Structures are given as structure tokens and as C-alpha cells.
Amino acid sequence: MRKPLVAGNWKMHGSRAENANLVQTLLDLLKPEWSAEVMVCPPFVYLWETGRMLKDTDVALGAQSICAEAVGAFTGEVSGAMLRDVGCGYVLVGHSERRQLYGETDALVARKFVAAQAQGLLPVLCVGETLEEREAGRTTEVVARQLEAVLAVSGVGALAKAVIAYEPVWAIGTGRTASPEQAQDVHAMIRAKVAALDATIAASVRILYGGSVKASNARELFAMADIDGGLVGGASLKAEEFAQICAAAG
Ligand code: 13P
């Protein structure tokens, strides 16, 4: 059985006080009997403080990005070792905002995936097509290309220590969620691609759905056979709603 994972990606929101308040309210709302693993990804500058608040809890800490390089003259970047140092267990790689707004290529995303695992971080590899690509019938091709770019460098075995997140770009921040069936189709395709290389890893790798997940649609999305939780943006900024989404994962 795959343990569901619900991750909150706060993107570039909040202040020290707001983030601390969000973490504390969330900790107060989460119930030990809920089965999903919960993770939060605050902005870099709040990781340390958040990590301290999460110490001795079951809530995991993740970063939103990582430098592909280990150390050196890379102004503005944050290394995997630094993320470990402040308590991260996970890191997002290849989020569509990084790909689209900051020019991250498949090759760079693959290097970031490797850099994360080199430091013992679990990368959450984000993949997903744009609206234009979907309408052109290219969803499978695009998602497979993004996945294969990482597999070519890391090998399928690396997925034993990683998470995949399918985030259709057209569903991110738009309020337009993929239907459970649309999401399931892509998740099943991803799992089949992995299964063609290693059936055991395919059966165990968690594939999250992201894109306008809300308390009102989480349950039906998470009920799909190949959806193992969610990567939640906007709704993770509201502790009550995010907690409801965590509850919906089981
Ligand atoms: P929204 O939930 O705001 O659509 O964002 C999804 C996302 O990008 C999470 O990484």
C-alpha cells in the first residue's frame, strides 16, 4: 500500500508571522488518526523556523527548489546540503513555474533531481502539460519526455526514493481542476511507463496530483486508483482547508 502524501506548496506567499501562524494552526488541526503523510514547502527564508516548529511532529518539511550544484559561486542559489541542514526531507524539482518562468529545462531538472538525492532529500518531480499541449493531443508525449529526462540520468531505481507530481499547467491557480478521470488517465500512463522498466517500483512510487486541489474536490481525486495524494498551492495557505484536504486523503 502506498501511504498518501499531501504537500502544501506555499510558493512566494506569507511573512514570518503569517507562516508561523499557518504552521501552528495546521499542527493544531491535524489528527493522528489520519493516514496521509503531510508536508509543507514554505519559501526558503522560512524553512529554518518552520523546521523548528515541525520538530517532534510527523509533518515533513520540503523546499520549493534546489541548486543543481553542490557548492560554490552560484549567487542566489541554495544547495541540497543547506536544505538538509535546515531540516528538509523533500524538495520540489521541475515545478511548472520554474520551467516556464525561470527557463528550467528537462536537463536542468534532471540535474536537480540528482543533486537532491545526493544529499538524501526526496525529490518531488513535477511534470505536466500546458493547455496548448493538451489541446494538441500531446499530453502523453510531454509528460513522458519530462519523466524520461530524469530516468535517463538517474535510472528507474532512483524512483524508489522520489515522488512524482502530475500538475497540468492549465489547472494550476486557475480554479480549473482536472477531472478525476483526466488526472487518473495521466497517472496511469506515468505508472505504466515506470512499470515497463520496473514493476515493483511502479507499484510503490507515489504519484501526486496538483492543480486547483480544494477541500471540495480532494476526496474524488484521491479516490482514483493511481492518485496517491496532492500537491496543493492556493488551498494550502488556509490551514482549515488544507487540513480538510489532508483528511480527504485517508
Ligand atoms: P494551485 O493548487 O494553487 O492550483 O497550485 C498547484 C501547484 O502548483 C502546487 O505546486
Side-chain angles (χ1 to χ4, degrees), residues 7-11 13 92 95-97 126 165 167-169 171-176 209-214 230-237:
N9 173 11
W10 296 350
K11 308 192 182 182
H13 289 106
L92 309 184
H95 191 281
S96 66
E97 287 149 20
C126 305
E167 296 205 300
V169 179
I172 295 179
T174 58
R176 182 177 166 193
Y209 168 78
S212 297
V213 176
K214 306 185 247 311
L231 181 51
V232 186
S236 73
L237 296 169

Short mmCIF file of all heavy atoms in Angstrom, two decimals, residues 7-11 13 92 95-97 126 165 167-169 171-176 209-214 230-237, ligand 1:
data_model
loop_
_atom_site.label_atom_id
_atom_site.label_comp_id
_atom_site.label_asym_id
_atom_site.label_seq_id
_atom_site.Cartn_x
_atom_site.Cartn_y
_atom_site.Cartn_z
N ALA A 7 0.98 17.52 0.12
CA ALA A 7 2.03 18.53 0.27
C ALA A 7 1.46 19.91 -0.02
O ALA A 7 0.72 20.09 -0.99
CB ALA A 7 3.17 18.22 -0.70
N GLY A 8 1.81 20.86 0.81
CA GLY A 8 1.42 22.25 0.60
C GLY A 8 2.59 23.03 0.04
O GLY A 8 3.66 23.08 0.66
N ASN A 9 2.40 23.58 -1.15
CA ASN A 9 3.43 24.42 -1.76
C ASN A 9 2.97 25.87 -1.60
O ASN A 9 2.06 26.32 -2.28
CB ASN A 9 3.59 24.06 -3.25
CG ASN A 9 4.52 25.02 -3.98
OD1 ASN A 9 5.20 25.83 -3.35
ND2 ASN A 9 4.54 24.91 -5.29
N TRP A 10 3.63 26.56 -0.68
CA TRP A 10 3.18 27.93 -0.36
C TRP A 10 3.63 28.95 -1.39
O TRP A 10 3.27 30.13 -1.29
CB TRP A 10 3.66 28.32 1.04
CG TRP A 10 3.06 27.46 2.12
CD1 TRP A 10 2.03 26.55 1.97
CD2 TRP A 10 3.44 27.40 3.49
NE1 TRP A 10 1.76 25.95 3.17
CE2 TRP A 10 2.61 26.45 4.12
CE3 TRP A 10 4.41 28.06 4.25
CZ2 TRP A 10 2.72 26.15 5.48
CZ3 TRP A 10 4.52 27.76 5.59
CH2 TRP A 10 3.68 26.81 6.20
N LYS A 11 4.50 28.51 -2.30
CA LYS A 11 5.01 29.44 -3.32
C LYS A 11 5.56 30.69 -2.64
O LYS A 11 6.06 30.60 -1.51
CB LYS A 11 3.93 29.72 -4.37
CG LYS A 11 3.35 28.41 -4.92
CD LYS A 11 2.49 28.58 -6.14
CE LYS A 11 1.95 27.21 -6.56
NZ LYS A 11 1.14 27.26 -7.77
N HIS A 13 4.53 33.27 -0.81
CA HIS A 13 3.49 33.91 -0.02
C HIS A 13 3.90 33.98 1.45
O HIS A 13 4.67 33.15 1.91
CB HIS A 13 2.17 33.13 -0.11
CG HIS A 13 1.52 33.22 -1.44
ND1 HIS A 13 1.52 32.19 -2.34
CD2 HIS A 13 0.85 34.23 -2.04
CE1 HIS A 13 0.87 32.55 -3.44
NE2 HIS A 13 0.46 33.80 -3.28
N LEU A 92 10.89 20.07 -4.08
CA LEU A 92 10.22 20.05 -5.40
C LEU A 92 11.28 20.27 -6.47
O LEU A 92 12.15 21.14 -6.32
CB LEU A 92 9.18 21.17 -5.51
CG LEU A 92 8.13 21.30 -4.40
CD1 LEU A 92 7.13 22.41 -4.77
CD2 LEU A 92 7.41 19.98 -4.14
N HIS A 95 9.02 22.18 -10.89
CA HIS A 95 7.68 22.78 -10.85
C HIS A 95 7.47 23.60 -12.12
O HIS A 95 8.40 24.24 -12.63
CB HIS A 95 7.55 23.67 -9.61
CG HIS A 95 6.14 24.10 -9.38
ND1 HIS A 95 5.56 25.12 -10.09
CD2 HIS A 95 5.18 23.61 -8.56
CE1 HIS A 95 4.30 25.25 -9.71
NE2 HIS A 95 4.04 24.35 -8.78
N SER A 96 6.24 23.61 -12.62
CA SER A 96 6.00 24.27 -13.91
C SER A 96 6.33 25.76 -13.87
O SER A 96 6.71 26.34 -14.89
CB SER A 96 4.56 24.07 -14.36
OG SER A 96 3.68 24.73 -13.49
N GLU A 97 6.21 26.38 -12.68
CA GLU A 97 6.58 27.80 -12.60
C GLU A 97 8.09 27.97 -12.78
O GLU A 97 8.54 28.95 -13.37
CB GLU A 97 6.08 28.40 -11.27
CG GLU A 97 4.56 28.57 -11.32
CD GLU A 97 3.85 28.44 -9.99
OE1 GLU A 97 4.48 28.57 -8.94
OE2 GLU A 97 2.63 28.17 -10.02
N CYS A 126 8.02 17.25 -10.59
CA CYS A 126 6.77 17.78 -11.13
C CYS A 126 6.79 17.70 -12.65
O CYS A 126 7.77 18.12 -13.28
CB CYS A 126 6.57 19.22 -10.69
SG CYS A 126 6.63 19.46 -8.91
N ALA A 165 4.86 14.23 -9.18
CA ALA A 165 3.64 15.03 -9.08
C ALA A 165 3.20 15.41 -10.49
O ALA A 165 3.96 16.03 -11.24
CB ALA A 165 3.87 16.27 -8.24
N GLU A 167 1.10 17.79 -12.50
CA GLU A 167 0.45 19.09 -12.35
C GLU A 167 0.20 19.69 -13.74
O GLU A 167 1.10 20.33 -14.30
CB GLU A 167 1.34 20.05 -11.55
CG GLU A 167 1.60 19.62 -10.12
CD GLU A 167 1.92 20.82 -9.24
OE1 GLU A 167 2.90 21.53 -9.51
OE2 GLU A 167 1.16 21.06 -8.29
N PRO A 168 -0.99 19.47 -14.28
CA PRO A 168 -1.28 20.10 -15.57
C PRO A 168 -1.24 21.61 -15.43
O PRO A 168 -1.88 22.17 -14.53
CB PRO A 168 -2.70 19.59 -15.90
CG PRO A 168 -3.26 19.06 -14.62
CD PRO A 168 -2.12 18.72 -13.72
N VAL A 169 -0.45 22.26 -16.27
CA VAL A 169 -0.21 23.69 -16.11
C VAL A 169 -1.52 24.47 -16.16
O VAL A 169 -1.71 25.45 -15.44
CB VAL A 169 0.78 24.19 -17.19
CG1 VAL A 169 1.03 25.68 -17.07
CG2 VAL A 169 2.11 23.43 -17.09
N ALA A 171 -4.26 23.77 -14.99
CA ALA A 171 -5.08 23.62 -13.78
C ALA A 171 -4.46 24.32 -12.58
O ALA A 171 -5.07 24.37 -11.51
CB ALA A 171 -5.27 22.13 -13.46
N ILE A 172 -3.26 24.88 -12.75
CA ILE A 172 -2.56 25.49 -11.61
C ILE A 172 -3.03 26.92 -11.39
O ILE A 172 -2.89 27.76 -12.28
CB ILE A 172 -1.03 25.45 -11.82
CG1 ILE A 172 -0.55 23.99 -11.86
CG2 ILE A 172 -0.33 26.23 -10.72
CD1 ILE A 172 0.94 23.85 -12.09
N GLY A 173 -3.60 27.16 -10.23
CA GLY A 173 -4.01 28.51 -9.86
C GLY A 173 -5.15 29.05 -10.68
O GLY A 173 -5.44 30.24 -10.63
N THR A 174 -5.80 28.20 -11.44
CA THR A 174 -6.85 28.68 -12.34
C THR A 174 -8.25 28.36 -11.82
O THR A 174 -9.24 28.86 -12.36
CB THR A 174 -6.73 27.98 -13.71
OG1 THR A 174 -6.82 26.56 -13.51
CG2 THR A 174 -5.42 28.31 -14.39
N GLY A 175 -8.31 27.51 -10.80
CA GLY A 175 -9.62 27.07 -10.33
C GLY A 175 -10.20 25.98 -11.22
O GLY A 175 -11.25 25.41 -10.93
N ARG A 176 -9.50 25.69 -12.30
CA ARG A 176 -9.98 24.69 -13.25
C ARG A 176 -9.23 23.38 -12.99
O ARG A 176 -8.12 23.18 -13.47
CB ARG A 176 -9.69 25.20 -14.67
CG ARG A 176 -10.18 24.28 -15.74
CD ARG A 176 -9.94 24.88 -17.11
NE ARG A 176 -10.09 23.85 -18.11
CZ ARG A 176 -9.73 23.96 -19.36
NH1 ARG A 176 -9.20 25.08 -19.80
NH2 ARG A 176 -9.91 22.97 -20.20
N TYR A 209 -1.34 14.42 -7.43
CA TYR A 209 -1.99 15.32 -8.39
C TYR A 209 -1.92 16.75 -7.85
O TYR A 209 -2.18 16.98 -6.65
CB TYR A 209 -3.46 14.93 -8.63
CG TYR A 209 -4.15 16.05 -9.40
CD1 TYR A 209 -3.95 16.18 -10.77
CD2 TYR A 209 -4.90 17.02 -8.74
CE1 TYR A 209 -4.50 17.25 -11.47
CE2 TYR A 209 -5.45 18.09 -9.42
CZ TYR A 209 -5.25 18.19 -10.78
OH TYR A 209 -5.77 19.26 -11.47
N GLY A 210 -1.62 17.71 -8.71
CA GLY A 210 -1.65 19.11 -8.31
C GLY A 210 -2.31 19.96 -9.37
O GLY A 210 -2.17 19.70 -10.57
N GLY A 211 -3.02 20.97 -8.93
CA GLY A 211 -3.72 21.87 -9.86
C GLY A 211 -5.12 22.12 -9.35
O GLY A 211 -6.02 21.33 -9.58
N SER A 212 -5.27 23.25 -8.60
CA SER A 212 -6.57 23.63 -8.06
C SER A 212 -7.22 22.55 -7.19
O SER A 212 -8.44 22.37 -7.23
CB SER A 212 -7.51 24.08 -9.18
OG SER A 212 -6.99 25.23 -9.83
N VAL A 213 -6.39 21.83 -6.43
CA VAL A 213 -6.96 20.91 -5.43
C VAL A 213 -7.57 21.76 -4.31
O VAL A 213 -6.95 22.71 -3.83
CB VAL A 213 -5.89 19.96 -4.84
CG1 VAL A 213 -6.49 19.10 -3.73
CG2 VAL A 213 -5.27 19.10 -5.93
N LYS A 214 -8.79 21.42 -3.93
CA LYS A 214 -9.50 22.14 -2.88
C LYS A 214 -10.16 21.11 -1.96
O LYS A 214 -10.24 19.92 -2.31
CB LYS A 214 -10.62 23.01 -3.48
CG LYS A 214 -10.17 23.96 -4.58
CD LYS A 214 -11.33 24.85 -4.99
CE LYS A 214 -11.88 24.67 -6.36
NZ LYS A 214 -11.22 24.63 -7.56
N GLY A 230 -1.86 14.77 -2.97
CA GLY A 230 -1.91 16.01 -3.72
C GLY A 230 -0.76 16.94 -3.43
O GLY A 230 -0.15 16.90 -2.36
N LEU A 231 -0.48 17.78 -4.42
CA LEU A 231 0.44 18.90 -4.25
C LEU A 231 -0.43 20.15 -4.38
O LEU A 231 -0.97 20.43 -5.45
CB LEU A 231 1.54 18.85 -5.32
CG LEU A 231 2.61 19.93 -5.30
CD1 LEU A 231 3.25 20.09 -3.92
CD2 LEU A 231 3.70 19.61 -6.32
N VAL A 232 -0.59 20.84 -3.26
CA VAL A 232 -1.62 21.86 -3.14
C VAL A 232 -1.00 23.23 -3.04
O VAL A 232 -0.13 23.46 -2.18
CB VAL A 232 -2.47 21.58 -1.87
CG1 VAL A 232 -3.66 22.53 -1.81
CG2 VAL A 232 -2.92 20.13 -1.83
N GLY A 233 -1.42 24.15 -3.89
CA GLY A 233 -0.91 25.52 -3.84
C GLY A 233 -1.82 26.39 -3.00
O GLY A 233 -1.79 26.36 -1.77
N GLY A 234 -2.66 27.16 -3.67
CA GLY A 234 -3.51 28.16 -3.00
C GLY A 234 -4.24 27.66 -1.77
O GLY A 234 -4.25 28.33 -0.73
N ALA A 235 -4.83 26.48 -1.86
CA ALA A 235 -5.63 25.98 -0.73
C ALA A 235 -4.77 25.58 0.47
O ALA A 235 -5.28 25.40 1.57
CB ALA A 235 -6.51 24.81 -1.17
N SER A 236 -3.44 25.47 0.27
CA SER A 236 -2.59 25.11 1.41
C SER A 236 -2.25 26.34 2.26
O SER A 236 -1.66 26.22 3.33
CB SER A 236 -1.30 24.43 0.94
OG SER A 236 -0.42 25.35 0.33
N LEU A 237 -2.65 27.52 1.78
CA LEU A 237 -2.39 28.75 2.54
C LEU A 237 -3.49 29.00 3.58
O LEU A 237 -3.39 29.92 4.38
CB LEU A 237 -2.30 29.95 1.59
CG LEU A 237 -1.13 29.90 0.61
CD1 LEU A 237 -1.27 30.98 -0.45
CD2 LEU A 237 0.20 30.05 1.34
P1 13P B 1 -2.86 25.55 -7.02
O1 13P B 1 -3.32 24.49 -6.02
O2 13P B 1 -2.90 26.93 -6.47
O3 13P B 1 -3.54 25.37 -8.33
O4 13P B 1 -1.28 25.26 -7.28
C1 13P B 1 -0.87 23.98 -7.61
C2 13P B 1 0.60 23.94 -7.55
O5 13P B 1 1.28 24.48 -8.39
C3 13P B 1 1.21 23.22 -6.44
O6 13P B 1 2.58 23.05 -6.64
#
